[in-house]
Amino acid sequence: QVPLVQSGTEVKKPGASVKMSCKASAYTFTNYYIHWLRLAPGRGLEWVGKIDFHAGNTIYAQSFQGRVTITRDSSTSSVYMELTSLTFDDMATYYCARVKWELPPYFDYWGQGTRLTVSS
Amino acid sequence: EIVLTQSPGTLSLSPGEGATLSCRASHSISSNHLAWYQLKPGQAPRLFIYGASSRAAGIADRFSGSGSGKDFTLTISRLEPEDFAVYYCQQYATPPVTFGQGTKLELK
């Protein structure tokens, strides 16, 4: 069973916003940090930010500050990532990945990815 | 932030051959906090190595990681057809976590 299940493909226009989800499957996120990363063509993997699922605290990469918001819903064991003011440079596959509280931040399981297309 | 440079960019090999993938850091990585991931199109990335040399659960022992400081290596002793993919190294010693640009392991 896939531990993290992400929402489906998104197509947005430049300037729009997108909100994608990541849901725990067969367990809860309570003792995990959930991170968001993206893989853009020709640009490799890039860390976007993270949320402490229990406390709700967030940290964002500097390059996304002011444009990204990560939230969580404890009732559904889901995490959301909203990215605003989209540009063509935001076209990528976005992944959520988990890190146990007590461990350093390497990612033992990832979601299957949400592909974002930005097109006018 | 720590910049990771992977080499080669593409490695063309045949099943049964061995592969050596390199990851070099711009600054020394403390505590060997380096991981390797495999990415295949349409699939979730998969953790292969953490702590520079510890295999993740379910990873075959033909995969091994080594190195310290600035230089790290992922070695695959005998390539199987399912090993052909893109491999990324990641440092998690110094925030923000950063990744190399990837090595594509392709069928010759």
Side-chain angles (χ1 to χ4, degrees), chain A residues 59-110:
Chain A
I59 297 177
Y60 303 123
Q62 196 164 5
S63 56
F64 293 94
Q65 286 278 359
R67 284 208 305 140
V68 67
T69 304
I70 299 174
T71 56
R72 95 295 196 203
D73 182 342
S74 302
S75 67
T76 60
S77 210
S78 296
V79 172
Y80 301 89
M81 193 276 294
E82 183 174 24
L83 189 62
T84 62
S85 303
L86 293 172
T87 71
F88 297 119
D89 286 345
D90 293 317
M91 284 185 56
T93 298
Y94 289 76
Y95 296 99
C96 60
R98 73 177 199 186
V99 176
K100 278 191 178 179
W101 266 1
E102 67 271 24
L103 295 178
Y106 61 86
F107 308 107
D108 66 345
Y109 281 103
W110 300 57

Side-chain angles (χ1 to χ4, degrees), chain A:
Chain A
Q1 201 166 9
V2 178
L4 297 92
V5 180
Q6 296 185 233
S7 50
T9 300
E10 298 274 5
V11 180
K12 298 292 181 182
K13 294 187 183 302
S17 299
V18 67
K19 188 172 185 177
M20 52 189 74
S21 67
C22 172
K23 182 175 171 58
S25 173
Y27 70 105
T28 68
F29 282 150
T30 305
N31 296 324
Y32 291 91
Y33 294 98
I34 303 301
H35 295 242
W36 286 89
L37 307 99
R38 73 180 185 184
L39 178 62
R43 298 221 307 269
L45 279 161
E46 185 177 17
W47 181 74
V48 176
K50 71 175 183 180
I51 187 166
D52 175 343
F53 193 86
H54 177 72
N57 300 326
T58 54
I59 297 177
Y60 303 123
Q62 196 164 5
S63 56
F64 293 94
Q65 286 278 359
R67 284 208 305 140
V68 67
T69 304
I70 299 174
T71 56
R72 95 295 196 203
D73 182 342
S74 302
S75 67
T76 60
S77 210
S78 296
V79 172
Y80 301 89
M81 193 276 294
E82 183 174 24
L83 189 62
T84 62
S85 303
L86 293 172
T87 71
F88 297 119
D89 286 345
D90 293 317
M91 284 185 56
T93 298
Y94 289 76
Y95 296 99
C96 60
R98 73 177 199 186
V99 176
K100 278 191 178 179
W101 266 1
E102 67 271 24
L103 295 178
Y106 61 86
F107 308 107
D108 66 345
Y109 281 103
W110 300 57
Q112 83 280 15
T114 295
R115 181 172 294 182
L116 171 64
T117 297
V118 180
S119 173
S120 53

Side-chain angles (χ1 to χ4, degrees), chain B residues 8-45:
Chain B
T10 301
L11 193 52
S12 300
L13 294 169
S14 300
E17 292 189 288
T20 301
L21 286 66
S22 173
C23 178
R24 176 163 289 181
S26 60
H27 300 78
S28 185
I29 294 175
S30 61
S31 306
N32 284 347
H33 279 184
L34 187 112
W36 291 91
Y37 301 88
Q38 180 194 70
L39 270 73
K40 291 183 175 181
Q43 297 185 18

